[in-house]
Amino acid sequence: MASFEGLEPVFGEVVPERSDPGSGLLRRCLFHVYASDSFHLTVHVTDFISGAWETILSVSQLDDMRDTVGIGGSWSEFLDYTIASLKSENVKLLLGDHSASNESARLVSQKAKGMPRIVVPLKKMADSSAYEAMATLSLELFRSFKRKEHLQGETSTSAAATEEEKDKRDATHNQLERYSSGKLDFMAQSTDNRQDSPAKQSKPSKRVPAHRRTRKRGALLQDSDEEDG
């Protein structure tokens, strides 16, 4: 079933335009579009001085508006188009006759030039209701600002943590590169030293002449005649 559940509030600024040109300078207004419950969409527009305008659209009323605008597709697609139009730069606040006791207005928006227009009729609010609408807009705008600030803080913290982790990885990588480079240089130097050093050669032993060799094996035997003589 179609509903406005989960719809994020929309805030915007708009310059009013009046049908009678001689009505003087008009103040800029802020508008606030939000789901007051799952089945109703509330629109408030105010300049915080002269008053506020309001409309409350049910799911069925917005569905009827889809037929009037002439946009096909599903309910969710039309709702997305409506929200995108309100967030665009093509938003106008058209005021009625200034002399009317119950002044009416229309909030007109387009997603882009040449595309279908979303026209939301508005009615001037009584003073007490207008003050409440202004207070609600101010409070919700502040809450929206704080939420975005919190999200930006989380994003910044996450980005800083990611950058710190990247720096650690880079430092480790550089250390490994320096270690590997030093090790290779040492190995290359050791190889060069071994190639430059003369190989140790064993000196050949000198041969002793036969006549100078000492006979050690056995005693010399003399003739028996010499022993007798």
Side-chain angles (χ1 to χ4, degrees):
M1 184 177 180
S3 71
F4 299 111
E5 187 174 357
L7 181 67
E8 292 292 329
V10 178
F11 300 92
E13 182 183 15
V14 63
V15 178
E17 299 177 10
R18 197 182 292 279
S19 57
D20 49 335
S23 58
L25 182 64
L26 298 174
R27 301 180 183 88
R28 290 177 175 271
C29 296
L30 295 181
F31 63 86
H32 179 205
V33 181
Y34 64 99
S36 47
D37 57 46
S38 298
F39 304 105
H40 292 88
L41 189 70
T42 300
V43 181
H44 286 147
V45 183
T46 180
D47 62 0
F48 294 95
I49 295 177
S50 60
W53 294 264
E54 177 189 48
T55 192
I56 300 177
L57 298 172
S58 65
V59 171
S60 60
Q61 286 175 318
L62 195 64
D63 199 33
D64 293 339
M65 187 185 297
R66 176 173 59 156
D67 297 333
T68 304
V69 174
I71 296 180
S74 65
W75 154 263
S76 60
E77 290 174 339
F78 177 70
L79 181 60
D80 290 342
Y81 178 83
T82 301
I83 298 302
S85 298
L86 292 168
K87 289 181 177 180
S88 72
E89 299 294 328
N90 306 306
V91 183
K92 296 180 180 180
L93 179 63
L94 304 180
L95 302 179
D97 187 2
H98 185 67
S99 62
S101 57
N102 189 12
E103 188 176 355
S104 61
R106 291 176 298 159
L107 188 66
V108 182
S109 61
Q110 286 178 289
K111 185 176 180 180
K113 295 291 186 181
M115 298 189 72
R117 298 190 306 170
I118 303 296
V119 181
V120 178
L122 302 166
K123 286 190 176 182
K124 191 73 174 286
M125 303 179 69
D127 289 343
S128 58
S129 300
Y131 298 149
E132 185 176 353
M134 295 176 196
T136 300
L137 191 155
S138 301
L139 182 59
E140 292 300 322
L141 184 59
F142 174 75
R143 287 175 177 171
S144 177
F145 168 76
K146 295 300 290 184
R147 283 194 296 270
K148 289 183 178 181
E149 188 178 45
H150 179 69
L151 290 175
Q152 289 177 351
E154 287 185 342
T155 303
S156 300
T157 302
S158 177
T162 302
E163 187 66 24
E164 183 179 358
E165 186 66 24
K166 180 178 180 297
D167 292 341
K168 289 181 179 179
R169 289 198 302 268
D170 291 344
T172 303
H173 180 70
N174 292 335
Q175 288 178 354
L176 290 174
E177 282 190 339
R178 287 195 296 270
Y179 174 77
S180 300
S181 177
K183 187 174 181 180
L184 290 175
D185 291 343
F186 176 76
M187 293 175 64
Q189 184 177 4
S190 299
T191 302
D192 292 342
N193 291 337
R194 285 197 301 268
Q195 291 177 352
D196 294 339
S197 299
K200 292 183 178 180
Q201 298 179 356
S202 59
K203 295 181 179 180
S205 58
K206 295 182 178 180
R207 294 180 60 85
V208 179
H211 67 276
R212 294 181 60 184
R213 296 177 189 171
T214 303
R215 296 181 179 179
K216 293 182 180 181
R217 287 183 291 181
L220 295 175
L221 298 178
Q222 295 180 353
D223 294 339
S224 59
D225 294 339
E226 292 179 358
E227 289 179 355
D228 294 342

